Amino acid sequence: MIDLFDRGVAFGLTPFETLFAYKGEVLFLDEHYKRLKRSLKILGIDNNLTFEKFKEDVLNSIKGINNPVAIKIIYIDDKLNIKLRTPSYTKEHYDRGLKLAISRERRPKSILNYIKTFNYGQNYIEDLRAKNKGYDSCIFLDHRGFISEAAYGNLFFIKDRVIYTPSITCSILPGIIRKKLIEHLKSKGVEVVKTNITLDELENFDSAFFTNSVAGVLPVSKIGNTSFSKSATQVKCEIIKFMERYFSCWLGH
């Protein structure tokens, strides 16, 4: 039985990770393990969790499953708890792009922005409000007014052949797909700029996209009243190559 006085439960500080698996392959296991261990250290939670144990439990949880699956891992009561679910993202989201509202809430300056815990109330409420207005989700501004992130993912913008993304100082959770995509793009000679971006600058960008560990990379068709192009460019071709390598199921492959 879960201890209701456990600090993770009582204060919403239970650390977790969400992974993606397709055809029996789990993406970026080592990266998720490292981030979970970092969260445990920051939260002061003593543990003996090894990568071997982490990998074994995750792979055992998806035995015999070939369809796309989201794997939620919670560390509580000194052990891993794993739950599987069908991803909420579909090929339709990829084809039409996401429509994102602009939340009225601001991301505060807090260490909680940089670790994954159950302290997701703001994300959930604002995502629900956006859906009730006909959007797919929402984005947040940080406490200074710069664009931060989406409720459940990171944001990128394209102008000509350069990609821009909010810097880590903009109260973002530095996502694993964000990191891996940036590494891929830089290896292909694409310039990626981590910077501060205002709402007024949105109209200057040609395209926008969203990343997280389950969706991979999804185009964004609209943020607030600003619409973005979905026309093919050389930079987008590199993003598609990344998707084909890791998230081909969302492309209909």
Side-chain angles (χ1 to χ4, degrees), residues 210-228:
F210 159 102
T211 63
N212 73 20
S213 289
V214 177
V217 185
L218 288 178
V220 172
S221 60
K222 193 172 186 179
I223 295 179
N225 295 320
T226 303
S227 296
F228 299 97

Side-chain angles (χ1 to χ4, degrees), residues 72-88:
K72 188 161 189 174
I73 299 176
I74 302 164
Y75 193 87
I76 193 169
D77 289 341
D78 299 320
K79 63 181 180 182
L80 294 177
N81 295 265
I82 300 177
K83 183 77 173 179
L84 307 181
R85 66 172 172 83
T86 300
S88 57

Side-chain angles (χ1 to χ4, degrees), residues 18-29 54-73 82-87:
T18 303
L19 294 76
F20 178 74
Y22 181 48
K23 295 182 177 179
E25 180 184 359
V26 183
L27 296 185
F28 310 123
L29 260 173
F54 181 82
K55 181 179 180 180
E56 179 184 12
D57 286 2
V58 172
L59 293 180
N60 284 338
S61 75
I62 63 163
K63 273 187 177 179
I65 300 175
N66 290 316
N67 293 329
V69 61
I71 309 164
K72 188 161 189 174
I73 299 176
I82 300 177
K83 183 77 173 179
L84 307 181
R85 66 172 172 83
T86 300

Side-chain angles (χ1 to χ4, degrees), residues 21-169:
Y22 181 48
K23 295 182 177 179
E25 180 184 359
V26 183
L27 296 185
F28 310 123
L29 260 173
D30 56 336
E31 295 285 349
H32 285 283
Y33 169 75
K34 290 175 185 176
R35 189 166 67 179
L36 178 60
K37 288 287 283 188
R38 177 176 176 271
S39 296
L40 290 168
K41 182 178 181 180
I42 290 173
L43 293 167
I45 300 174
D46 293 331
N47 68 94
N48 296 311
L49 181 63
T50 64
F51 177 69
E52 289 71 24
K53 174 63 173 172
F54 181 82
K55 181 179 180 180
E56 179 184 12
D57 286 2
V58 172
L59 293 180
N60 284 338
S61 75
I62 63 163
K63 273 187 177 179
I65 300 175
N66 290 316
N67 293 329
V69 61
I71 309 164
K72 188 161 189 174
I73 299 176
I74 302 164
Y75 193 87
I76 193 169
D77 289 341
D78 299 320
K79 63 181 180 182
L80 294 177
N81 295 265
I82 300 177
K83 183 77 173 179
L84 307 181
R85 66 172 172 83
T86 300
S88 57
Y89 303 103
T90 65
K91 186 176 182 298
E92 178 192 354
H93 288 114
Y94 186 86
D95 290 340
R96 67 172 171 79
L98 299 177
K99 293 190 300 179
L100 304 176
I102 301 169
S103 171
R104 295 170 297 177
E105 297 288 319
R106 295 290 182 98
R107 276 280 192 262
K109 184 179 181 181
S110 169
I111 193 168
L112 291 176
N113 295 323
Y114 307 111
I115 58 176
K116 287 180 77 76
T117 69
F118 277 4
N119 201 312
Y120 254 59
Q122 183 186 53
N123 302 58
Y124 173 79
I125 291 171
E126 290 303 299
D127 177 74
L128 185 61
R129 284 177 175 170
K131 285 181 168 64
N132 288 338
K133 294 178 181 178
Y135 292 89
D136 294 298
S137 189
C138 66
I139 71 164
F140 294 97
L141 306 183
D142 71 7
H143 60 286
R144 303 165 300 170
F146 294 117
I147 292 173
S148 177
E149 61 185 357
Y152 300 113
N154 295 122
L155 297 167
F156 290 80
F157 304 91
I158 302 174
K159 178 62 179 177
D160 299 325
R161 286 184 46 81
V162 180
I163 290 183
Y164 300 84
T165 189
S167 73
I168 196 171
T169 61

